[in-house]
Amino acid sequence: MDIVVNEELKAYIDPMTPEEYDALERSILAEGCRDALVLWGDMLVDGHHRYSVCRKHDLPFQTIQNTQFRSMADVHLWMIDQHLGRRSVSPFQRGVLALRKREILAARRAGAREVDDQAHAQAAAEAVSDAPEDATPVAATPADAPKPEPLPSRVAIAREARLSNSQVGMIEKIHKQAAEEVVAAVKAGTLSINAAAAVASLPVEEQRAAAVAGGDELKQVARRVREAKRKPRDEVTPAQDTTDDSELHTLRQRVIELTAENEALRRQLAELQGQVSASD
């Protein structure tokens, strides 16, 4: 059969690096294509790099059909789940994939809610048209209306991607705010997730300028951003200093006054005790 390569599917997951592709090619040349390519009809879903190597060297390969797919969203979710379980996928890529999965589920949930609203409106209209003229209106609800699945929380996303909650938050920030050059630096391993999230808080043009200057400059910019946001615990403003000194002075004066009052009371008590002794 003729296998169709969908370019959108091929690019949906980050491609292998040239080094990874060379390693795969050597492995297939030595051992053959051991894993079957996954198809949806005649469309290639999984195994694009293996298919490329086999075509290049005219090597045999096996295929398998996944009959559970009903839509392209099903295909995307399956691809994401497959790659989330692979060790070769970087932490940043896992975070992006997990967030992408949540977006797909959110879109599916919104679509299901829209369909449910339409069915509810249709059922209500049919109930009104079929009811006697003197009947009391009753709200109509579609029978067996499916409830949309709850969206995974950030904790669930982090667990699935084998990341911490804070890492997922930083990856989400990078995904939404970082310039393409900064994202490329993270994917290449030049910049850490933590540093990229710091750089992503800057205007896009500043991010690009730092990226053009190189990885070292990106790291320096990230360090300066973090230092600007970090406030030392012992750092206080002059106004805070003045307030603290004033409060401390007032407390000290109060202690002196209480000590004097206490001493005066002790003297009075001693005098009273002396008077009582004298009368006895």
Side-chain angles (χ1 to χ4, degrees):
M1 66 178 296
D2 293 330
I3 294 179
V4 176
V5 176
N6 183 303
E7 293 299 327
E8 185 270 334
L9 277 184
K10 184 178 179 181
Y12 192 71
I13 305 294
D14 286 341
M16 287 183 173
T17 64
E19 294 77 15
E20 291 171 337
Y21 185 88
D22 290 343
L24 175 66
E25 186 174 25
R26 290 193 298 270
S27 173
I28 291 178
L29 288 173
E31 304 175 11
C33 187
R34 295 179 297 177
D35 297 325
L37 310 183
V38 178
L39 303 177
W40 180 31
D42 58 357
M43 186 182 300
L44 181 59
V45 173
D46 185 61
H48 290 87
H49 296 102
R50 281 172 278 146
Y51 180 64
S52 173
V53 172
C54 290
R55 286 285 304 273
K56 177 181 177 181
H57 297 282
D58 196 22
L59 297 174
F61 56 85
Q62 295 180 337
T63 63
I64 185 173
Q65 285 284 341
N66 191 317
T67 58
Q68 297 181 352
F69 298 145
R70 294 291 180 270
S71 65
M72 190 61 75
D74 289 340
V75 174
H76 288 161
L77 289 172
W78 184 87
M79 294 175 69
I80 289 171
D81 287 340
Q82 292 296 307
H83 282 76
L84 282 176
R86 293 177 179 174
R87 295 181 180 179
S88 59
V89 180
S90 70
F92 177 74
Q93 290 174 316
R94 291 200 304 271
V96 170
L97 290 174
L99 290 170
R100 192 177 293 173
K101 179 177 180 177
R102 192 173 192 273
E103 291 174 359
I104 295 173
L105 294 176
R108 177 172 288 181
R109 179 184 175 88
R113 185 181 295 112
E114 182 178 354
V115 170
D116 182 62
D117 290 343
Q118 292 175 351
H120 182 84
Q122 182 178 354
E126 292 175 353
V128 170
S129 62
D130 294 340
E133 293 183 0
D134 59 347
T136 303
V138 178
T141 302
D144 301 326
K147 295 183 179 179
E149 297 181 6
L151 290 178
S153 64
R154 178 172 289 181
V155 174
I157 291 175
R159 186 184 305 114
E160 187 171 17
R162 306 193 304 279
L163 300 169
S164 66
N165 291 346
S166 62
Q167 284 178 310
V168 171
M170 288 187 287
I171 292 172
E172 188 170 16
K173 181 178 181 180
I174 296 168
H175 184 59
K176 292 180 178 179
Q177 299 177 213
E180 293 180 3
E181 295 83 353
V182 175
V183 174
V186 180
K187 290 181 178 179
T190 306
L191 199 63
S192 68
I193 293 173
N194 190 300
V199 175
S201 63
L202 298 173
V204 173
E205 291 305 319
E206 292 185 27
Q207 296 181 43
R208 287 174 177 162
V212 170
D216 290 340
E217 178 61 21
L218 274 173
K219 294 174 184 177
Q220 290 297 323
V221 170
R223 181 179 60 80
R224 289 195 292 269
V225 171
R226 287 196 294 259
E227 287 178 351
K229 292 182 177 181
R230 187 184 302 120
K231 184 178 181 181
R233 293 180 180 179
D234 57 348
E235 180 183 342
V236 292
T237 63
Q240 288 173 321
D241 258 341
T242 302
T243 301
D244 291 345
D245 289 344
S246 176
E247 291 178 354
L248 183 60
H249 177 73
T250 301
L251 288 172
R252 285 175 176 171
Q253 285 296 113
R254 185 57 178 159
V255 169
I256 293 173
E257 292 171 1
L258 290 173
T259 302
E261 290 176 6
N262 188 32
E263 188 63 29
L265 289 172
R266 285 182 178 180
R267 287 197 298 268
Q268 291 177 7
L269 180 60
E271 290 175 358
L272 289 174
Q273 288 176 341
Q275 293 174 2
V276 170
S277 298
S279 63
D280 289 345

